[in-house]
Amino acid sequence: MVLVTWLYDEAGRASAILDEFCLRTVDGEPAGYVFGLSAFSIKGEHIGWFEDGVLYDVENRVLGFLPGARGMAHHFPDLQPPPREPVFGKRPNVPTLRARPVRRPAGGWSRHALASYFDAGAPGAAAPAMSSLGESPG
């Protein structure tokens, strides 16, 4: 059985899952990856950052957080009970990861919803040329 680590949104709703280094939807579907400080889409595009338990979008705004995240400079909302734990399918192979852009200064909550951020293709995600980032799974 997999230990489910829920990511919560600005309203305190469990809206995504971090399964080791795999980001998943609330339905358990693979949606992206976290390697080092970077978050990537399922296709390997840089879509944000993950630091001290906080997931940031490409504009370096807070998308979501783990309970007790040290990186939360903002007020923690009251956490709502998470949905039933989904069944996880196999993780897809990790694609070649694209280079990450320069990180902007942090700036409050994202204008994107955590639950739909991955489905929308990470709006505004840059797709520079492929690069070796020196970051590896786990």
Side-chain angles (χ1 to χ4, degrees):
M1 182 163 182
V2 176
L3 175 64
V4 173
T5 306
W6 291 98
L7 284 158
Y8 291 83
D9 65 13
E10 183 178 11
R13 291 181 299 256
S15 297
I17 298 167
L18 182 60
D19 162 27
E20 194 177 349
F21 61 89
C22 186
L23 290 164
R24 294 181 180 267
T25 67
V26 294
D27 297 326
E29 294 300 316
Y33 306 97
V34 172
F35 297 124
L37 295 178
S38 292
F40 298 91
S41 74
I42 207 77
K43 295 179 181 179
E45 298 158 331
H46 183 269
I47 58 170
W49 291 268
F50 187 77
E51 185 173 18
D52 293 330
V54 180
L55 180 64
Y56 299 88
D57 67 12
V58 293
E59 297 168 338
N60 204 22
R61 295 178 182 268
V62 178
L63 274 169
F65 61 93
L66 300 175
R70 295 178 318 187
M72 283 296 289
H74 303 87
H75 171 359
F76 275 102
D78 291 332
L79 301 183
Q80 299 174 20
R84 184 180 189 122
E85 185 175 316
V87 175
F88 289 177
K90 183 179 175 189
R91 290 183 194 128
N93 292 330
V94 177
T96 300
L97 304 177
R98 298 187 187 262
R100 62 178 173 230
V102 173
R103 191 171 181 181
R104 299 175 183 169
W109 287 98
S110 177
R111 59 187 170 92
H112 306 289
L114 174 58
S116 61
Y117 187 69
F118 307 107
D119 295 336
M130 293 190 191
S131 169
S132 172
L133 300 175
E135 298 174 347
S136 60

